[in-house]
Amino acid sequence: MIGLLLLGVLALAVGGCACVVWAERGGPRWARVVAAMTLAAGELVRRSGKNRRRQVNGTTGGDD
């Protein structure tokens, strides 16, 4: 069951990347929308990783 879920997430990621490439080459409007959503999701993941690292680094060694 988890394997199917991971396979679905992988298919969405590959499809999103394909839409980004297609939109760069002047694809249809729906491909540009999917590309924008894919890039926005990637930016959210990147920012959450930066915030998580900042919290971990900022809280170590605070009460000596």
Side-chain angles (χ1 to χ4, degrees):
M1 185 66 173
I2 292 177
L4 288 176
L5 179 68
L6 290 175
L7 194 60
V9 169
L10 179 64
L12 285 173
V14 170
C17 292
C19 283
V20 169
V21 172
W22 195 10
E24 281 291 318
R25 294 175 172 237
R29 183 176 179 86
W30 66 265
R32 285 180 262 153
V33 170
V34 172
M37 291 182 352
T38 301
L39 293 173
E43 186 64 30
L44 286 174
V45 169
R46 187 179 321 153
R47 286 186 184 180
S48 72
K50 284 182 182 179
N51 289 341
R52 191 174 307 134
R53 277 184 269 141
R54 191 173 297 147
Q55 288 173 352
V56 169
N57 291 337
T59 58
T60 57
D63 294 329
D64 280 1

